[in-house]
Amino acid sequence: MSHRSIFKVAIVGCGRVGMTAAYSIITSGLATDLVLVGRDKAKLEGEKLDLEHALPFLPDVNIVATDDYADLQGTDVVIFAAGAAQEPGETRLDLAKKNLALVDALVPKILEHAPHTVLLMVTNPVDVLTNRANEISGKYNGRVFGSGTLLDTARFRFYLSEFLDVNPRSIHTYILGEHGDSSFPALSGATLGGAKLTELPAFSHEKAMQSFEQARSAAYRIIEGKGATYYAIGTVLTQIVKSIQRDARTVMPVSHPLKDFYGVSDVSLSVPCIIGRRGIEKVMPVQLDEAEIEQLHASAEAVRAYQQ
């Protein structure tokens, strides 16, 4: 592997989301080293072996299965996927109490052994847990952030593309705020091919809001149907890791503690950020109209209630 720069990724919590991310990351060729961290080492050894059997067809990667957090030393990115999963009928915020306890127990161990890592939070409620992880870190330097509404945004663009009949990659708009029920679409600044989305002849506000509702309720439909969501979020996490590994400085809506963003502070929500080698390099200004600003503040209050 002498021709590849060392890039070490760890996944803490190797359930369906964690292992789907692991599989996506090794097939992408991003990592030279992958560390799987969890309590059940026998299961992790099985996961490791299953992944290793694919390596004859993939870029080489050294995979470690461990229950020892010392193995995180030198890690570039740690994906935090440990925690209880969302049950049918349960909101993401309902998970707060049990998963906050895990953050309190595990994040100090992660930062002890990998103090310079980028810590990417994915466990729900991701905004609440991201805020707590930043409090534990005490640095607020962009190295600790959550996957936030990047998946919501991907879902929204997908549903918008269906009625607009264009490639979703050509639609530039975001879902912002909480990764959950108080999220909102930032349509006032949305564009397609450089033109304002809302001014295009094919645009329909009614259909756009239907697309948003489809995106917002997607996780509930998936959980009801198959028990959990993991393929799309695994891909989302790989895209974030790719932007870090390549220092690509890609703009993505991710969750982190806001500081006077349209008057919102001290709560973690998703807004567009530049993602590079050090995590969040810069928070991007985003155009919001008055109604969207009100929705941002409402989302902040919904999340803040669980951050105490």
Side-chain angles (χ1 to χ4, degrees), residues 38-273:
R39 292 176 296 178
D40 188 344
K41 193 171 180 182
K43 177 183 182 294
L44 292 179
E45 290 288 355
E47 296 283 16
K48 171 190 172 183
L49 196 59
D50 200 8
L51 291 175
E52 286 178 332
H53 290 168
L55 293 183
F57 308 100
L58 299 172
D60 195 21
V61 56
N62 177 52
I63 304 173
V64 172
T66 185
D67 55 6
D68 186 353
Y69 282 75
D71 288 319
L72 296 180
Q73 186 173 354
T75 304
D76 294 285
V77 180
V78 174
I79 296 172
F80 189 100
Q86 189 176 349
E87 299 292 337
E90 189 176 39
T91 70
R92 296 180 181 95
L93 289 177
D94 288 333
L95 296 173
K97 187 175 181 179
K98 43 191 171 182
N99 285 342
L100 275 169
L102 269 177
V103 170
D104 290 342
L106 300 183
V107 168
K109 294 181 182 181
I110 294 169
L111 297 178
E112 176 188 354
H113 295 288
H116 305 298
T117 194
V118 173
L119 178 54
L120 174 54
M121 307 295 292
V122 60
T123 304
N124 281 317
V126 67
D127 305 295
V128 177
L129 302 193
T130 295
N131 211 70
R132 179 66 64 85
N134 269 281
E135 288 174 351
I136 293 169
S137 166
K139 295 179 180 177
Y140 298 93
N141 58 6
R143 285 190 173 272
V144 179
F145 66 95
S147 54
T149 59
L150 183 53
L151 175 55
D152 310 72
T153 294
R155 289 169 171 159
F156 185 40
R157 292 179 182 179
F158 169 78
Y159 289 120
L160 283 174
S161 74
E162 290 193 314
F163 89 80
L164 292 170
D165 197 24
V166 296
N167 190 304
R169 293 189 179 193
S170 298
I171 301 170
H172 298 284
T173 187
Y174 302 102
I175 287 181
L176 302 180
E178 177 202 355
H179 174 53
D181 295 336
S182 68
S183 64
F184 65 95
L187 282 171
S188 63
T191 61
L192 173 62
K196 287 198 68 171
L197 186 67
T198 55
E199 296 177 358
L200 294 174
F203 180 78
S204 160
H205 183 76
E206 180 182 359
K207 288 183 179 179
M209 293 310 296
Q210 288 174 357
S211 298
F212 167 64
E213 290 301 332
Q214 285 179 290
R216 183 163 61 175
S217 64
Y220 296 116
R221 299 199 306 274
I222 294 168
I223 290 167
E224 184 177 349
K226 59 178 269 189
T229 70
Y230 38 92
Y231 295 133
I233 187 59
T235 304
V236 162
L237 295 171
T238 302
Q239 293 303 306
I240 296 173
V241 171
K242 182 188 294 185
S243 193
I244 295 167
Q245 190 257 6
R246 297 181 179 177
D247 196 23
R249 304 181 71 81
T250 309
V251 177
M252 299 175 172
V254 294
S255 181
H256 66 102
L258 299 186
K259 184 177 180 181
D260 196 21
F261 189 90
Y262 280 102
V264 174
S265 297
D266 303 322
V267 63
S268 288
L269 296 173
S270 287
V271 298
C273 300

Side-chain angles (χ1 to χ4, degrees), residues 20-31 51 54-55 57-59 61 238:
T20 305
Y23 177 72
S24 180
I25 286 167
I26 70 163
T27 57
S28 71
L30 292 173
L51 291 175
L55 293 183
F57 308 100
L58 299 172
V61 56
T238 302

